[in-house]
Amino acid sequence: MIALITLLDILTPASLVVATLLSAPLALAALGLSRSTTFVLLGLILASNVIAGWMNALRDGMSTTDLGNRLVSMLAAILVAGLTLRARQVSLQAAQLAEEERRLTRERGLRTLVEAVSGPFGQAEFVSRAAEALRTLAGAQVVEIGSVDRAMLREPHAISPSDGVSRLGTRLSLEALTQPAGVGPVWAVSGGDVLLARLSRPLESDLLLLLTRPTAPLDVVQEAVQTLQPLLDRTALLDDIHARQAQLQARGEVLQDLIYAFSHDLRTPLLANAVNIRSALKGAYGPLPDAYCATLRNGLEANATLLSLADQLLLVAKYESGETDDEAQSVNLREVILGVLAQLQGPAADRSITFETELEGVTVPGRKHDVRRAVQNLLENALKFSPANSVIRVTLQHEGDEAALRVLDQGPGVPPGREATLFQRFRSGGAGGGTGLGLYLTRRIAEGHGGHVTYHRTVRAQSVFTLTLPLETL
């Protein structure tokens, strides 16, 4: 075209600048071709003007008007190329902005979909939330979700809006049940008015999604379905966890009831047995041989051990179940310690063990019986593992806003490597041995009162247990 118009321009008089006609194809080329190609065409058009003007000048001469017309033709070509390129750039930017807006809208919709169905939901609530969010994202008139069982739509089921015509409990058509070969995760039926998709459930029937007259593009619906699949898998996992938790809770309640029943039923005969043994030792049944009295005393001691175990089991069951909401009262910790020490004087004297005390008067809020049990566990533990003819040092003092009870003994201490498990359940052997409940229960009581209990070994090979409880505030 450039060559033909250039030839025509040469053949016509100099006053007729036919090359001006090249501005139209130049504009079309600038809209459809690359930027570099447009500049090449512009160069050719300018060269065409120069050649035609030079040839006309040689033939007809060149007046000022002819020269002006030629310059206007060249400037028009430059202006048309520049404006067209600019218009093309603006058009591309507008298209990019529109595409970016579509992408952001889709991402916002998917994010809203994820937020709507994320959370500790069961499958029933997941399906309900997914139907509502998917209808908003896809712009569908109705979205219905349900499991497919024997060609019928079953629970879990949801429809949005709620007043839509539900297919729950009705037999589905064959095209709704059969996914055509070679299609993606979403396919159309009913002449394209309804989109279908499936969400798989490993141990249960699939969920069928039905979207009536959606306005969103098919790829958006496909991406939404692919986003829902891992979230559904997570929901199924949460359902399984909740079911297992319910089973564990039921088993825990049974075990707790058994512990309560065992401890209660154990205490009654033990108390009666203790009364009979004491009566026999006091001569209620006449004089008894010394060997028989010694046997009765051993039985009374074993009886007391079993009563203590029953009491600890009851406390363990209470703290494990969280039933520690009894009303707190002021507990004089010094009086509690002195009471326990008075109870242990007999067993300590039998082994020539002495208690040295340095007790400040402190008051803590709590449950007196539980606090006494914690103190008793520490002192009995020290007495049990202290060698004969040794000293157990017991101190009680203020430390800031806490009361610290320390029990120091000269026993063998905790075997290496057992310190980390010392206050756990059923950890026997060494200090803290026996039933394996004493130090564990002490820890639970301390934590239940806002305190803690610790153990360490001194450089003089002495064991120190420290019970710390918050002081009572006025």
Side-chain angles (χ1 to χ4, degrees), residues 251-262:
R251 292 176 183 175
E253 290 175 353
V254 171
L255 291 175
Q256 180 182 333
D257 292 342
L258 287 174
I259 291 174
Y260 275 126
F262 169 76

Side-chain angles (χ1 to χ4, degrees), residues 408-411 456-464:
L408 183 146
D409 66 70
Q410 299 172 5
H456 77 274
R457 190 77 170 164
T458 69
V459 293
R460 296 183 179 181
Q462 296 172 317
S463 296
V464 181

Side-chain angles (χ1 to χ4, degrees), residues 5 17 21 69-70 97 107-108 126 134 190 235 252 265 297 305 375 409 436 449 469:
I5 292 179
V17 184
L21 298 175
N69 291 336
R70 184 63 61 180
L97 289 175
E107 289 181 354
R108 282 195 297 266
F126 172 87
L134 193 58
S190 301
T235 301
D265 293 344
R297 292 189 186 93
T305 301
V375 172
D409 66 70
H449 287 73
L469 297 174

